[in-house]
Amino acid sequence: MAYRVLGRAGPPQPRRARRLLFAFTLSLSCTYLCYSLLCCCDDLGQSRLLGAPRCLRGPRAGGQKLLQKSRPCDLPGPTPSEPSAPSAPAAAAPAPRLSGSNHSGSPKLGTKRLPQALIVGVKKGGTRAVLEFIRVHPDVRALGTEPHFFDRNYGRGLDWYRSLMPRTLESQITLEKTPSYFVTQEAPRRIFNMSRDTKLIVVVRNPVTRAISDYTQTLSKKPDIPTFEGLSFRNRTLGLVDVSWNAIRIGMYALHLESWLRYFPLAQIHFVSGERLITDPAGEMGRVQDFLGIKRLITDKHFYFNKTKGFPCLKKTESSLLPRCLGKSKGRTHVQIDPEVIDQLREFYRPYNIKFYETVGQDFRWE
């Protein structure tokens, strides 16, 4: 009776009640979701403006995360009106790992620089030995090959030359060796134009012994060349030495030195005795280190004498399990030369040697 008065057809059906409950629940969920998003966005915005750490961490925030109540930051950032010292991070980030690539610009790996020092001569004087010995020093980085820039490749330019160099730190010296520079007329001027402060090292040796060594090397490559005597003299009977032969001309040290002294003071040129380099390698290398302005770290403990080769070798080091000797092309047995030819060449070189001694202030005792 009551239901008819209200104009209802009957009591509400269960299906309709469920629909109303679902709609109410959905509306409430949407409202809560919007509120959560607004809170999160407000926290993130304040974090970015004030430099504080973000409240929500983690790269993945799915729907379930967003429905969770946002938690406050552990270390809230300061407000603009209340500056404070930067807070320490919760966990220290690992230091960046340095790449081992030579193309890296990291200062720890160094920079390619033009050489500050050059071994400019002389061929068959002991230049390779000096290079290998000085490379043991941690303050020296040297190019292993001979670039021949100031005699054969000058037209390639200084950028090409620099690109060949090893990377060095500010505290290290870049060094290269090309023995033919000493007898190249244009080399002193070209090196001076690169840097007037370049330090020059010249390894010299008894010019007669040096010429025989030079001939021995050439003979091993060209067995059909004339004899040493035939190449050394224009007229042996008259004692006329052929100075056009390069093996003879290189040993006229005083003549070549004149070109260098036009551009560099004598104090900027260091002369190494090829003979003392064999008998006292530590002493000679000590003077080389002094000349380069580096600490004397290469000492007697680095050398032993190789009786087979007839010259000193480097002992094994922590980085090398084997001792280091020069290559097979070094220490060859010289060809036998007529003693009279040797005497004639000694007389020829005598005035050049004396002038050389007087100029450099050293007596190398080649007579």
Side-chain angles (χ1 to χ4, degrees):
M1 178 66 71
Y3 293 123
R4 290 193 186 96
V5 172
L6 292 173
R8 298 283 185 176
Q13 298 297 322
R15 181 180 300 175
R16 186 176 182 184
R18 285 197 299 270
R19 288 178 180 176
L20 291 173
L21 180 61
F22 176 78
F24 176 77
T25 304
L26 180 62
S27 175
L28 182 62
S29 298
C30 290
T31 302
Y32 187 80
L33 177 62
C34 292
Y35 175 79
S36 299
L37 286 172
L38 288 172
C39 290
C40 291
C41 291
D42 183 63
D43 288 342
L44 287 170
Q46 289 186 5
S47 298
R48 288 171 181 169
L49 288 172
L50 301 179
R54 296 184 180 182
C55 300
L56 295 179
R57 295 178 176 86
R60 296 177 183 175
Q64 185 178 357
K65 286 268 186 180
L66 292 174
L67 287 173
Q68 292 177 356
K69 189 173 182 179
S70 58
R71 61 182 177 85
C73 295
D74 296 330
L75 297 171
T79 62
S81 60
E82 297 177 354
S84 64
S87 301
R97 187 175 183 180
L98 293 175
S99 170
S101 170
N102 284 337
H103 299 290
S104 171
S106 170
K108 191 167 184 179
L109 294 175
T111 306
K112 291 192 174 188
R113 298 178 176 88
L114 292 172
Q116 299 102 319
L118 299 172
I119 301 175
V120 297
V122 298
K123 180 183 179 184
K124 306 308 296 181
T127 57
R128 173 55 63 177
V130 172
L131 180 73
E132 294 302 322
F133 295 165
I134 198 63
R135 291 174 82 177
V136 175
H137 202 291
D139 291 338
V140 176
R141 293 294 309 280
L143 183 64
T145 57
E146 298 176 4
H148 286 277
F149 176 68
F150 294 105
D151 54 358
R152 303 176 191 171
N153 296 308
Y154 193 66
R156 292 177 178 262
L158 286 174
D159 288 340
W160 175 84
Y161 185 46
R162 184 189 290 107
S163 71
L164 303 178
M165 298 300 137
R167 292 183 180 273
T168 52
L169 304 177
E170 288 289 344
S171 60
Q172 293 177 313
I173 295 172
T174 304
L175 177 74
E176 75 105 325
K177 170 191 86 81
T178 304
S180 55
Y181 291 162
F182 188 66
V183 297
T184 301
Q185 191 71 24
E186 300 83 8
R189 173 178 53 82
R190 291 171 174 175
I191 294 172
F192 178 84
N193 288 339
M194 176 188 71
S195 173
R196 64 181 63 193
D197 298 323
T198 305
K199 293 185 176 183
L200 308 170
I201 298 173
V202 186
V203 188
V204 291
R205 183 182 184 185
N206 184 320
V208 178
T209 309
R210 197 222 66 82
I212 296 172
S213 178
D214 199 340
Y215 175 79
T216 301
Q217 183 183 50
T218 305
L219 186 65
S220 67
K221 300 175 182 178
K222 301 177 181 179
D224 298 331
I225 61 173
T227 64
F228 180 82
E229 296 87 337
L231 293 170
S232 298
F233 296 93
R234 289 187 295 166
N235 189 319
R236 185 182 168 187
T237 303
L238 299 176
L240 297 177
V241 176
D242 190 352
V243 296
S244 66
W245 186 32
N246 205 39
I248 293 294
R249 188 170 182 82
I250 289 174
M252 301 161 68
Y253 304 139
L255 181 67
H256 304 298
L257 184 59
E258 291 177 359
S259 300
W260 292 90
L261 293 179
R262 294 191 189 104
Y263 294 91
F264 296 95
L266 193 61
Q268 222 165 302
I269 308 174
H270 179 71
F271 298 92
V272 177
S273 167
E275 286 80 17
R276 288 198 298 267
L277 190 63
I278 295 175
T279 59
D280 181 21
E284 282 300 299
M285 293 310 300
R287 286 181 279 275
V288 171
Q289 292 169 89
D290 293 343
F291 173 69
L292 294 176
I294 55 180
K295 189 176 180 180
R296 284 198 179 198
L297 298 181
I298 304 172
T299 61
D300 284 323
K301 66 181 181 181
H302 289 90
F303 301 101
Y304 76 97
F305 189 81
N306 187 306
K307 295 181 179 179
T308 302
K309 285 184 170 292
F311 53 73
C313 298
L314 290 168
K315 292 180 180 178
K316 63 181 181 180
T317 60
E318 294 179 358
S319 59
S320 176
L321 298 177
L322 297 174
R324 290 169 53 192
C325 278
L326 299 183
K328 296 180 180 179
S329 63
K330 309 299 180 181
R332 293 188 187 94
T333 302
H334 290 175
V335 295
Q336 294 297 315
I337 306 298
D338 186 342
E340 291 185 5
V341 171
I342 294 177
D343 290 339
Q344 285 179 297
L345 290 177
R346 283 177 178 168
E347 288 301 315
F348 166 77
Y349 280 121
R350 187 182 302 276
Y352 293 101
N353 291 344
I354 292 174
K355 185 177 180 181
F356 181 65
Y357 300 163
E358 293 173 349
T359 303
V360 303
Q362 292 186 54
D363 185 352
F364 291 90
R365 302 183 182 278
W366 292 326
E367 283 68 37

